[in-house]
Amino acid sequence: MAMIGLSEGSLAPEWASRYPAHARGAIRLYGEEFHRDPAAVYWRLRTVHGPVAPVLVDGDVPAWLVLDYREFGQVLASPAYYTRDSNAWNSWDLIPADWPLIPMITARDTAWFLTGDEHDRRVAVLADGLGTVDPFELRTACERVADDLIDGFAGHGRADLISQYAELLPLRVATALLGLPPADSTAIVADLAIVVNGGPDAVTANIRLRDRLQAQVTARREHQRFDVLSRLVTHPAGLRDGELLEELQTIFAIVHQATSAWIGNTLRLMLGDPRFAATILGGRRSVGDAMAEVLWEDPPGATLTGRWTVGPRTLGRYRLGAGDLLLLSITAANTDPTIRTTAEVHHRNQAHMAYGHGEHRCPLAGQEIGEAIAQAAVQILLDRLPDIELATPIDRLAWRPSLWLRSLVDLPVVFTP
Ligand code: HEM
């Protein structure tokens, strides 16, 4: 089924025989045409295919994209039919060893990928550990880190709020909360940035990172302290060192990517949208309003990777085979016209899917910490630099070409030094 103007992949014969629906002109969720306007692509996919569409991801690998709010919830609330376990995929034999999505999809030993009792055991440790974060301590850590970062550029009269602020602040706060010494925190934040960006140094940086975390975990096993890491180490569920390191690395990645994007997307709105820009001088919309709107319109996690059909199933207008790969579009579910019946959505309504849904939904403690960090980061910046303005018009700011994360390339601003 041709979709004029969108890039259709050409399915290799070995794929085409297994995925006949994809062989009839499935479109690519990668490349320039898709990234120019993902929302328009989702709209057209929904019009042509309904709630679930055959699509191609990197390397023209077939997947099903869940677009509608109802089906999004249905898939994530039914782990018995749609598993998180990527070992269920029917296509591993066709995937080349250098396929770029392997690191995202391959199951690792963390709550993010686990299922059943083991998943529940891990989440209990994380929820208990994160749940003990003191809100005042959190706010103080945010203020300290925010002030330090702003001091670094306040005298210059211009800055890029992504690379100089939004991308640095959440991890620095998180390492401080965990109880890591400042020197270690700086090194861990630097190494994580190298790991996240990939590239030739990523493997060595990852080894250094794990060695540092291991040393901290060992120290807490010998002498407990009043910090979050000690509470994770001494939790009655008894996570082993390897399990703890995997969980810590996953948390760092989420805090870094999701919270940084939330800060950046909120600042974009506060500074670039006239409905918000007025507030800095006492208008009617607040930082909380902007943050809530971002969760609906530009959610940090744009697409969830990986659920796999446990057996053949009908979803939307299609019959899916056993072990097919599903991707879930948070952006599309949030903008599904059947739940957006009025022109203006009440963004304070929390029925969005920005935190996922079902058993893998972001734990409440994670949501609260992410929100507190983002709120403090935006508020403190606007308080410290009251005449701050975008140096580039909002419609010329570039989004990163990522299916998974909704985040800006940069956010240049000017202000009185
Ligand atoms: C900053 C503190 C945060 C922490 C510690 C945290 C932690 C976690 C953890 C441990 C999970 C995995 C849960 C599981 O698999 O059972 C998770 C899932 C998730 N988190 Fe968070 N999170 C944080 C902030 C955020 C933010 C700010 C967002 C976006 C607004 C977000 C969006 C999500 C989503 C969408 C999932 C579901 C993933 C899926 O189902 O595939 N998180 N989070």
Side-chain angles (χ1 to χ4, degrees), residues 72-101:
F72 186 105
Q74 196 179 321
V75 168
L76 292 182
S78 316
Y81 301 139
Y82 304 97
T83 178
R84 187 83 170 95
D85 182 1
S86 62
N87 293 313
W89 198 7
N90 56 23
S91 299
W92 278 117
D93 59 321
L94 297 178
I95 293 297
D98 60 352
W99 190 52
L101 300 190

Short mmCIF file of all heavy atoms in Angstrom, two decimals, residues 72-101:
data_model
loop_
_atom_site.label_atom_id
_atom_site.label_comp_id
_atom_site.label_asym_id
_atom_site.label_seq_id
_atom_site.Cartn_x
_atom_site.Cartn_y
_atom_site.Cartn_z
N PHE A 72 -2.37 0.53 22.82
CA PHE A 72 -1.15 0.78 23.60
C PHE A 72 -1.33 0.21 25.02
O PHE A 72 -0.52 -0.57 25.51
CB PHE A 72 -0.89 2.29 23.63
CG PHE A 72 0.41 2.72 24.27
CD1 PHE A 72 1.46 3.16 23.49
CD2 PHE A 72 0.56 2.72 25.65
CE1 PHE A 72 2.66 3.58 24.07
CE2 PHE A 72 1.75 3.13 26.24
CZ PHE A 72 2.80 3.56 25.45
N GLY A 73 -2.44 0.60 25.64
CA GLY A 73 -2.72 0.12 26.99
C GLY A 73 -2.94 -1.39 27.04
O GLY A 73 -2.45 -2.08 27.94
N GLN A 74 -3.65 -1.88 26.02
CA GLN A 74 -3.98 -3.31 25.96
C GLN A 74 -2.69 -4.16 25.89
O GLN A 74 -2.56 -5.14 26.62
CB GLN A 74 -4.79 -3.51 24.69
CG GLN A 74 -5.57 -4.78 24.56
CD GLN A 74 -6.33 -4.75 23.21
OE1 GLN A 74 -6.83 -3.72 22.77
NE2 GLN A 74 -6.37 -5.88 22.54
N VAL A 75 -1.76 -3.77 25.03
CA VAL A 75 -0.51 -4.55 24.87
C VAL A 75 0.30 -4.53 26.17
O VAL A 75 0.74 -5.56 26.67
CB VAL A 75 0.34 -4.00 23.70
CG1 VAL A 75 1.74 -4.59 23.71
CG2 VAL A 75 -0.36 -4.28 22.37
N LEU A 76 0.45 -3.33 26.76
CA LEU A 76 1.32 -3.23 27.94
C LEU A 76 0.68 -3.83 29.19
O LEU A 76 1.38 -4.19 30.13
CB LEU A 76 1.70 -1.76 28.19
CG LEU A 76 2.60 -1.18 27.11
CD1 LEU A 76 2.98 0.26 27.44
CD2 LEU A 76 3.87 -2.00 26.93
N ALA A 77 -0.65 -3.97 29.18
CA ALA A 77 -1.31 -4.55 30.35
C ALA A 77 -1.48 -6.06 30.21
O ALA A 77 -2.06 -6.70 31.08
CB ALA A 77 -2.66 -3.88 30.57
N SER A 78 -0.97 -6.64 29.13
CA SER A 78 -1.19 -8.08 28.90
C SER A 78 0.13 -8.81 28.67
O SER A 78 0.39 -9.31 27.56
CB SER A 78 -2.09 -8.30 27.68
OG SER A 78 -3.18 -7.42 27.68
N PRO A 79 0.98 -8.87 29.71
CA PRO A 79 2.30 -9.50 29.51
C PRO A 79 2.20 -10.98 29.12
O PRO A 79 3.14 -11.52 28.53
CB PRO A 79 3.00 -9.31 30.86
CG PRO A 79 1.93 -8.97 31.84
CD PRO A 79 0.80 -8.36 31.07
N ALA A 80 1.07 -11.62 29.42
CA ALA A 80 0.94 -13.03 29.05
C ALA A 80 0.83 -13.19 27.53
O ALA A 80 1.17 -14.24 26.97
CB ALA A 80 -0.30 -13.64 29.73
N TYR A 81 0.36 -12.16 26.85
CA TYR A 81 0.22 -12.21 25.38
C TYR A 81 1.33 -11.46 24.66
O TYR A 81 1.64 -11.78 23.51
CB TYR A 81 -1.13 -11.60 24.96
CG TYR A 81 -2.33 -12.30 25.56
CD1 TYR A 81 -3.41 -11.57 26.03
CD2 TYR A 81 -2.38 -13.69 25.63
CE1 TYR A 81 -4.51 -12.20 26.59
CE2 TYR A 81 -3.47 -14.33 26.19
CZ TYR A 81 -4.53 -13.58 26.68
OH TYR A 81 -5.61 -14.20 27.22
N TYR A 82 1.88 -10.44 25.33
CA TYR A 82 2.92 -9.62 24.71
C TYR A 82 4.07 -9.53 25.71
O TYR A 82 4.01 -8.74 26.66
CB TYR A 82 2.40 -8.22 24.40
CG TYR A 82 1.16 -8.22 23.53
CD1 TYR A 82 -0.11 -8.12 24.09
CD2 TYR A 82 1.26 -8.37 22.14
CE1 TYR A 82 -1.25 -8.14 23.28
CE2 TYR A 82 0.14 -8.39 21.34
CZ TYR A 82 -1.12 -8.28 21.92
OH TYR A 82 -2.24 -8.30 21.14
N THR A 83 5.11 -10.34 25.50
CA THR A 83 6.16 -10.40 26.52
C THR A 83 7.25 -9.35 26.29
O THR A 83 7.46 -8.89 25.16
CB THR A 83 6.79 -11.80 26.57
OG1 THR A 83 7.85 -11.81 27.53
CG2 THR A 83 7.38 -12.22 25.22
N ARG A 84 7.94 -9.03 27.37
CA ARG A 84 9.06 -8.10 27.33
C ARG A 84 10.34 -8.86 26.96
O ARG A 84 11.38 -8.25 26.73
CB ARG A 84 9.21 -7.52 28.76
CG ARG A 84 10.20 -6.43 28.91
CD ARG A 84 9.55 -5.15 28.49
NE ARG A 84 10.35 -4.00 28.83
CZ ARG A 84 11.20 -3.41 27.99
NH1 ARG A 84 11.39 -3.90 26.80
NH2 ARG A 84 11.85 -2.35 28.37
N ASP A 85 10.27 -10.18 26.96
CA ASP A 85 11.47 -11.00 26.79
C ASP A 85 11.83 -11.13 25.31
O ASP A 85 11.15 -11.81 24.54
CB ASP A 85 11.20 -12.39 27.40
CG ASP A 85 12.42 -13.28 27.31
OD1 ASP A 85 13.45 -12.81 26.79
OD2 ASP A 85 12.32 -14.43 27.76
N SER A 86 12.95 -10.49 24.94
CA SER A 86 13.31 -10.45 23.51
C SER A 86 13.75 -11.82 22.98
O SER A 86 13.87 -11.99 21.76
CB SER A 86 14.40 -9.41 23.28
OG SER A 86 15.56 -9.77 24.00
N ASN A 87 13.98 -12.78 23.88
CA ASN A 87 14.31 -14.13 23.39
C ASN A 87 13.15 -14.72 22.61
O ASN A 87 13.32 -15.69 21.87
CB ASN A 87 14.67 -15.05 24.56
CG ASN A 87 15.96 -14.60 25.22
OD1 ASN A 87 16.93 -14.33 24.54
ND2 ASN A 87 15.93 -14.46 26.54
N ALA A 88 11.95 -14.13 22.78
CA ALA A 88 10.77 -14.64 22.06
C ALA A 88 10.75 -14.22 20.58
O ALA A 88 9.89 -14.68 19.82
CB ALA A 88 9.50 -14.13 22.75
N TRP A 89 11.64 -13.36 20.18
CA TRP A 89 11.60 -12.83 18.80
C TRP A 89 11.80 -13.95 17.77
O TRP A 89 12.71 -14.76 17.91
CB TRP A 89 12.70 -11.77 18.62
CG TRP A 89 12.50 -10.86 17.45
CD1 TRP A 89 11.41 -10.78 16.64
CD2 TRP A 89 13.42 -9.88 16.98
NE1 TRP A 89 11.59 -9.80 15.69
CE2 TRP A 89 12.83 -9.24 15.86
CE3 TRP A 89 14.70 -9.47 17.39
CZ2 TRP A 89 13.46 -8.22 15.16
CZ3 TRP A 89 15.33 -8.46 16.69
CH2 TRP A 89 14.71 -7.84 15.58
N ASN A 90 10.96 -13.94 16.74
CA ASN A 90 11.04 -14.99 15.71
C ASN A 90 12.08 -14.67 14.63
O ASN A 90 12.20 -15.40 13.66
CB ASN A 90 9.66 -15.20 15.05
CG ASN A 90 9.11 -13.90 14.47
OD1 ASN A 90 9.85 -12.96 14.17
ND2 ASN A 90 7.79 -13.83 14.33
N SER A 91 12.84 -13.58 14.81
CA SER A 91 13.70 -13.13 13.71
C SER A 91 15.17 -13.00 14.07
O SER A 91 15.94 -12.45 13.29
CB SER A 91 13.20 -11.76 13.21
OG SER A 91 11.89 -11.87 12.74
N TRP A 92 15.56 -13.50 15.21
CA TRP A 92 16.98 -13.36 15.59
C TRP A 92 17.89 -13.95 14.52
O TRP A 92 18.99 -13.46 14.28
CB TRP A 92 17.26 -14.04 16.94
CG TRP A 92 16.90 -13.19 18.13
CD1 TRP A 92 15.97 -13.47 19.08
CD2 TRP A 92 17.49 -11.93 18.51
NE1 TRP A 92 15.92 -12.46 20.02
CE2 TRP A 92 16.85 -11.50 19.70
CE3 TRP A 92 18.47 -11.11 17.97
CZ2 TRP A 92 17.16 -10.31 20.35
CZ3 TRP A 92 18.80 -9.92 18.60
CH2 TRP A 92 18.15 -9.52 19.79
N ASP A 93 17.43 -15.03 13.86
CA ASP A 93 18.31 -15.69 12.86
C ASP A 93 18.59 -14.79 11.65
O ASP A 93 19.53 -15.05 10.90
CB ASP A 93 17.68 -17.02 12.40
CG ASP A 93 16.31 -16.83 11.77
OD1 ASP A 93 15.54 -15.99 12.28
OD2 ASP A 93 16.01 -17.49 10.75
N LEU A 94 17.77 -13.74 11.45
CA LEU A 94 17.97 -12.87 10.29
C LEU A 94 18.70 -11.57 10.65
O LEU A 94 18.92 -10.70 9.81
CB LEU A 94 16.62 -12.51 9.66
CG LEU A 94 15.81 -13.69 9.08
CD1 LEU A 94 14.48 -13.21 8.54
CD2 LEU A 94 16.61 -14.40 7.99
N ILE A 95 19.05 -11.41 11.93
CA ILE A 95 19.63 -10.14 12.38
C ILE A 95 21.16 -10.20 12.32
O ILE A 95 21.78 -11.07 12.94
CB ILE A 95 19.18 -9.86 13.85
CG1 ILE A 95 17.67 -9.60 13.88
CG2 ILE A 95 19.93 -8.70 14.45
CD1 ILE A 95 17.22 -8.38 13.12
N PRO A 96 21.78 -9.26 11.58
CA PRO A 96 23.25 -9.25 11.52
C PRO A 96 23.86 -8.83 12.85
O PRO A 96 23.23 -8.08 13.62
CB PRO A 96 23.56 -8.21 10.43
CG PRO A 96 22.32 -7.43 10.24
CD PRO A 96 21.16 -8.21 10.76
N ALA A 97 25.08 -9.29 13.12
CA ALA A 97 25.72 -9.05 14.43
C ALA A 97 25.92 -7.56 14.70
O ALA A 97 25.97 -7.14 15.85
CB ALA A 97 27.06 -9.78 14.49
N ASP A 98 26.01 -6.75 13.62
CA ASP A 98 26.27 -5.32 13.85
C ASP A 98 24.98 -4.48 13.73
O ASP A 98 25.04 -3.26 13.55
CB ASP A 98 27.32 -4.81 12.85
CG ASP A 98 26.86 -4.98 11.40
OD1 ASP A 98 25.80 -5.63 11.18
OD2 ASP A 98 27.54 -4.48 10.49
N TRP A 99 23.83 -5.10 13.85
CA TRP A 99 22.57 -4.34 13.77
C TRP A 99 22.52 -3.31 14.91
O TRP A 99 22.73 -3.66 16.08
CB TRP A 99 21.39 -5.31 13.90
CG TRP A 99 20.05 -4.69 13.60
CD1 TRP A 99 19.69 -3.98 12.50
CD2 TRP A 99 18.88 -4.77 14.43
NE1 TRP A 99 18.37 -3.61 12.58
CE2 TRP A 99 17.85 -4.07 13.75
CE3 TRP A 99 18.59 -5.36 15.67
CZ2 TRP A 99 16.56 -3.95 14.27
CZ3 TRP A 99 17.31 -5.24 16.18
CH2 TRP A 99 16.31 -4.54 15.49
N PRO A 100 22.28 -2.02 14.57
CA PRO A 100 22.44 -0.97 15.59
C PRO A 100 21.47 -1.08 16.77
O PRO A 100 21.74 -0.51 17.83
CB PRO A 100 22.20 0.34 14.82
CG PRO A 100 21.74 -0.02 13.47
CD PRO A 100 22.05 -1.47 13.22
N LEU A 101 20.34 -1.77 16.61
CA LEU A 101 19.39 -1.81 17.74
C LEU A 101 19.65 -2.97 18.71
O LEU A 101 18.93 -3.11 19.71
CB LEU A 101 17.95 -1.89 17.22
CG LEU A 101 17.50 -0.73 16.33
CD1 LEU A 101 16.01 -0.78 16.08
CD2 LEU A 101 17.85 0.61 16.96
#
